[in-house]
Amino acid sequence: MTVLVAVLAAFPAVADAVLPAAIAGDPWLKDLRKSMLRGRDLSDRLLQSLADAGEGLAAARYARRLEAREGTDYLDDAAHYYSIAVYMGRDFAVPRLIAILKRPEADFSPSRLRNLRAVLERAARKGDPGAAAGLADLLMRGKPFGTDIPEARMLRLAAAEAGDPKAALALALDLIQGADGLPPDPEAAGHALDLALASPDPGVQAMALTLRRQLQRDGALPAPSAEPPRPRLRPAPPEGAAP
């Protein structure tokens, strides 16, 4: 059993709100954690000890040190420790984990990839738009988890509805273009563009408005309705099949 699997098994969904049991039951680890929180610069070995016991801040700091080392041999372990940090509620580690997963030179074992994806999915379910949008991008790219466009659209919609206008814009573009088994859906793209228009970023607003006007000029968007359609995320069932 990997260290992360052990952590996942040992701590329930509320674990990030309490002191990990492995630390609470060990006076040395408790003192070490207090020392870290007071500003002590711990060695790699001590940080790793806390991280392996489920201390999210220590895991993020240790991951950062691994990531900064020369070469790519440490990227797998860096992603692992960032994932512990994310699991334990350290949302600031999500972008670093996504960045490592996007690096083409990084190499991960199948079991490690399953753990990393599970952590990002959990963060997305808990409402982290960065985790949802980041995992969606990875599933669209096809690396390192493989391609899953329907799931990526679901995640982008979740991120958009959680307040990420760039995810909304990406979803709209994907719906306009379509994909294998998923024809263009301009009406649902209009809903995604409405979410993007809520962005405070003038650039995102301008692009969303331009796309919406183009769809309207092409006659692809109907008159606005009181209840805009949600994007069609999966292929339509064959004619005559049960819904």
Side-chain angles (χ1 to χ4, degrees):
M1 180 180 289
T2 65
V3 172
L4 180 56
V5 171
V7 169
L8 295 178
F11 302 112
V14 296
D16 51 355
V18 299
L19 186 67
I23 296 178
D26 187 319
W28 178 72
L29 286 175
K30 284 181 69 176
D31 288 343
L32 188 61
R33 181 176 182 271
K34 289 178 181 178
S35 180
M36 177 191 70
L37 295 177
R38 290 171 182 155
R40 178 183 170 189
D41 187 18
L42 301 183
S43 68
D44 287 356
R45 182 181 65 82
L46 294 179
L47 273 180
Q48 185 179 10
S49 296
L50 282 174
D52 287 343
E55 204 330 292
L57 181 59
R61 290 179 177 178
Y62 183 54
R64 189 63 175 168
R65 291 184 187 181
L66 291 171
E67 188 182 6
R69 292 180 181 177
E70 292 185 5
T72 60
D73 293 343
Y74 300 100
L75 292 179
D76 184 21
D77 286 337
H80 166 68
Y81 282 102
Y82 276 132
S83 72
I84 292 178
V86 172
Y87 185 85
M88 299 308 294
R90 304 291 179 169
D91 295 341
F92 63 82
V94 168
R96 295 309 319 151
L97 175 56
I98 296 294
I100 291 178
L101 288 167
K102 286 183 176 180
R103 291 182 63 167
E105 72 274 24
D107 187 32
F108 308 95
S109 69
S111 61
R112 180 60 57 82
L113 283 177
R114 285 193 296 271
N115 286 337
L116 297 176
R117 180 169 177 174
V119 168
L120 287 172
E121 288 174 340
R122 176 180 179 273
R125 287 195 303 270
K126 293 180 68 178
D128 186 324
L135 181 55
D137 289 345
L138 293 168
L139 294 176
M140 283 288 189
R141 290 158 51 99
K143 294 181 180 180
F145 299 123
T147 303
D148 190 339
I149 292 176
E151 182 65 18
R153 288 182 173 185
M154 296 271 297
L155 289 162
R156 278 182 173 167
L157 180 61
E161 292 181 338
D164 185 338
K166 292 184 178 179
L169 193 57
L171 176 60
L173 288 168
D174 180 60
L175 289 164
I176 290 170
Q177 296 167 357
D180 291 343
L182 289 162
D185 190 346
E187 188 173 352
H191 172 53
L193 290 172
D194 288 341
L195 294 173
L197 284 169
S199 170
D201 185 332
V204 172
Q205 285 184 3
M207 184 174 292
L209 190 58
T210 297
L211 289 171
R212 176 170 257 292
R213 287 173 174 168
Q214 182 63 52
L215 290 173
Q216 289 172 333
R217 283 196 299 268
D218 294 343
L221 281 183
S225 62
E227 187 66 32
R230 287 170 65 87
R232 185 186 304 137
L233 303 170
R234 299 188 180 277
E239 187 175 350

